[in-house]
């Protein structure tokens, strides 16, 4: 059966049948775009959270993800605090910051909270491919 991935998309080894991702963003349009891209182009199972507290609560209830795509600025609990809490809980998932403020001090602050990587919005297929490659290494 031929793959439906975009040209140049990273192939995932068969260690797991399907990767899972949590998209954490307060913007419903961004959540929808990121979900469509992850599921449609990369066949990654996705779950959505509107803020950091929802992400932490999902993990507290036993949910587990291979990748967490985390926005920085959100109401209730921002990405920095959510990332710190997830790491304090022992969450080993790759946490990737996706924010409008990826450069400079604000990006460094976000990385220091426990991110594996931080990129500017919007999420692109090239960013996803880079993340998937890092996940394989």
């Amino acid at each position: 059966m031929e793959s439906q991935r975009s040209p140049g998309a990273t192939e995932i080894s068969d260690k797991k049948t399907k990767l899972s991702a949590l998209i954490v963003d307060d913007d419903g349009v961004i959540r929808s775009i990121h979900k469509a891209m992850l599921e449609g182009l990369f066949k990654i199972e996705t779950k959505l959270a509107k803020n950091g507290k929802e992400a932490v609560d999902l993990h507290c209830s036993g949910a587990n993800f291979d990748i967490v795509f985390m926005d920085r600025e959100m109401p209730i609990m921002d990405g920095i605090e959510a990332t710190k809490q997830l790491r304090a809980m022992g969450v080993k998932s790759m946490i990737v910051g996706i924010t409008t403020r990826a450069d400079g001090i604000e990006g460094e602050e976000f990385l220091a909270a426990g991110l594996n990587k931080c990129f500017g919005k919007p999420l692109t297929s090239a960013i996803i491919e880079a993340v998937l490659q890092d996940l394989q290494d």
Side-chain angles (χ1 to χ4, degrees), residues 5-80:
R5 293 182 189 272
S6 63
T10 304
E11 292 293 327
I12 302 301
S13 66
D14 289 343
K15 287 182 200 170
K16 243 182 142 171
T17 53
K18 204 166 204 181
L19 289 174
S20 62
L22 176 62
I23 301 165
V24 188
D25 200 302
D26 59 320
D27 185 324
V29 173
I30 294 290
R31 284 194 311 272
S32 295
I33 291 169
H34 291 177
K35 179 180 174 80
M37 188 177 295
L38 289 167
E39 290 181 347
L41 294 177
F42 294 92
K43 308 301 181 215
I44 297 173
E45 291 181 14
T46 61
K47 248 203 171 348
L48 305 174
K50 295 176 188 170
N51 59 62
K53 183 179 181 324
E54 287 185 10
V56 171
D57 289 348
L58 275 168
H59 282 86
C60 284
S61 68
N64 199 1
F65 305 93
D66 297 298
I67 309 165
V68 177
F69 291 99
M70 182 76 72
D71 185 22
R72 184 180 193 276
E73 295 178 11
M74 297 176 285
I76 302 173
M77 182 185 293
D78 67 18
I80 291 174

Side-chain angles (χ1 to χ4, degrees), residues 81-127:
E81 183 59 29
T83 301
K84 287 179 181 176
Q85 287 194 26
L86 291 171
R87 293 302 188 210
M89 292 165 48
V91 171
K92 302 289 186 214
S93 303
M94 177 178 278
I95 304 178
V96 180
I98 303 295
T99 179
T100 56
R101 300 171 184 222
D103 296 329
I105 293 171
E106 291 182 359
E108 290 173 22
E109 264 182 353
F110 202 5
L111 279 165
L115 294 181
N116 296 91
K117 300 240 178 233
C118 189
F119 297 99
K121 280 186 180 178
L123 192 58
T124 64
S125 59
I127 291 171

